[in-house]
Amino acid sequence: MPSGWVFIMFCILLRLTEGVGSAMFATSLYAQLPELFPHSVGTMSGLVSVAGCIGFAIGPPLGGLLYSVGGFKLPFLTVGGFCFFILFPVYFLMRGSDTGCKKQVLSFRTVVKLLSNFMFLLLVVVHGLSMAAWGFFYPTLEPFLSSQFHLDTKQTGLVFLSLSIMSVLCGPVIGKLADKFGSRGFTITGCVVSAASFFLVGPAHFISQPQLWITVVATVIFGLGSSLMFVPNFKAMLAIAKSVEDTEATSAVVSGVTSSSLSLGEFIGPIIGGSLTQVMDFPTSAMVFGQIILAEGGLLLGATIINRWAARRASS
């Protein structure tokens, strides 16, 4: 293929195609969870989160290894071939699990009613923020670790790996607890914990001077906080949606909204992080983003309290 603009345009086209495929996959995946595992949606969301964290952890080093062995093409040929290979077992294993969502469609009025629900919109924002928080670190944390603590590439990778490991360990546990005790409290706690990690990762100037151990502990805390925000949230969104209209198609709509919010968060997270660090230092940038997460948690807490007060007043 010719170099220059032709190569760039084909790269953009392939990335757009990949985005369409990923959206189709993620939406159908979450849509099936409530139907296949109706009594353990939180637990299964936790396992899906674990799979995603493992992919984020092993993807970059595996890609680098394949690139060093076979050049630019080998990572893409390997991943594409693996996806094509697992297509057949997935098809035959899932062939008997058709939930019938395609036979039902939510009315436009129902979808509008759902998307105008303030609590539902708050949870959608939480879902997007959980991914945006990860994206914030991509363009900002590595330069900070390199310039402030003089870490090399391997040492920086270990810091990111500690974040992923924490999420892997916490995801299933949080999902199980959310199935048993409810989701909303865990999501609010996750906002607070994640905000605290952003205040500490620099840390904020009013807390302490930059110290490596504080930054590492903060990334581990963020692994816990992001799991608390992300894992129980799908179940909470689904509960609100089913209160509007309880059909099999409801989970498909919620899954689509979930996938869109995650993609938006993944898109804006690096933009916010890169833009903030252009006008202020990393500790202050992280503190500002932590304030955004904390404000979202406060809104969610306030809305939850008001809803429960209104429900008690209506029943009395």
Side-chain angles (χ1 to χ4, degrees):
M1 179 180 295
S3 60
W5 281 106
V6 175
F7 178 77
I8 293 174
M9 293 305 297
F10 269 94
C11 286
I12 294 174
L13 179 61
L14 289 175
R15 287 291 287 173
L16 291 173
T17 305
E18 179 193 1
V20 173
S22 298
M24 294 172 66
F25 161 75
T27 302
S28 61
L29 172 65
Y30 278 96
Q32 292 180 79
L33 288 183
E35 311 303 330
L36 297 176
F37 309 98
H39 303 296
S40 55
V41 175
T43 302
M44 299 312 299
S45 295
L47 293 176
V48 171
S49 173
V50 166
C53 290
I54 293 175
F56 275 116
I58 69 174
L62 180 60
L65 175 63
L66 292 173
Y67 178 84
S68 64
V69 172
F72 178 76
K73 295 181 180 179
L74 185 59
F76 299 98
L77 292 174
T78 302
V79 175
F82 179 75
C83 291
F84 183 78
F85 173 77
I86 65 173
L87 172 65
F88 298 100
V90 168
Y91 172 76
F92 286 107
L93 288 173
M94 300 297 295
R95 186 169 54 176
S97 61
D98 184 7
T99 60
C101 289
K102 61 183 180 181
K103 301 175 184 178
Q104 299 181 4
V105 178
L106 291 184
S107 66
F108 178 76
R109 180 178 297 180
T110 302
V111 174
V112 171
K113 184 178 180 181
L114 175 61
L115 295 179
S116 60
N117 185 295
F118 183 67
M119 181 63 74
F120 184 82
L121 291 179
L122 285 178
L123 294 175
V124 171
V125 173
V126 169
H127 226 61
L129 274 178
S130 68
M131 183 57 69
W134 282 78
F136 177 92
F137 285 131
Y138 292 153
T140 59
L141 184 56
E142 189 276 332
F144 173 73
L145 293 173
S146 177
S147 62
Q148 184 68 47
F149 305 115
H150 309 292
L151 300 188
D152 58 28
T153 303
K154 293 181 180 179
Q155 292 169 328
T156 302
L158 290 176
V159 175
F160 278 94
L161 184 61
S162 66
L163 192 161
S164 298
I165 289 175
M166 190 64 177
S167 296
V168 167
L169 294 176
C170 293
V173 177
I174 294 171
K176 190 71 174 179
L177 292 174
D179 283 331
K180 186 174 182 180
F181 299 107
S183 305
R184 196 77 54 80
F186 288 101
T187 302
I188 296 171
T189 303
C191 291
V192 176
V193 173
S194 295
S197 71
F198 273 85
F199 275 79
L200 291 172
V201 73
H205 295 303
F206 68 86
I207 296 177
S208 172
Q209 294 297 316
Q211 298 184 56
L212 180 58
W213 73 269
I214 297 179
T215 299
V216 173
V217 170
T219 58
V220 173
I221 293 174
F222 172 69
L224 170 63
S226 64
S227 293
L228 285 166
M229 288 177 67
F230 176 81
V231 172
N233 206 41
F234 178 73
K235 183 180 179 181
M237 293 167 64
L238 187 63
I240 294 176
K242 286 186 175 293
S243 69
V244 175
E245 183 172 328
D246 189 2
T247 67
E248 292 177 340
T250 303
S251 58
V253 173
V254 175
S255 180
V257 174
T258 297
S259 299
S260 298
S261 64
L262 290 177
S263 298
L264 180 61
E266 188 176 12
F267 174 73
I268 67 173
I271 295 177
I272 294 175
S275 300
L276 288 176
T277 52
Q278 290 294 315
V279 297
M280 58 187 73
D281 58 12
F282 175 78
T284 306
S285 301
M287 182 187 69
V288 170
F289 197 85
Q291 290 173 332
I292 295 173
I293 299 176
L294 188 62
E296 170 65 16
L299 286 173
L300 186 59
L301 175 61
T304 301
I305 293 174
I306 292 173
N307 279 2
R308 291 183 177 178
W309 174 79
R312 289 178 181 176
R313 185 174 182 180
S315 61
S316 62

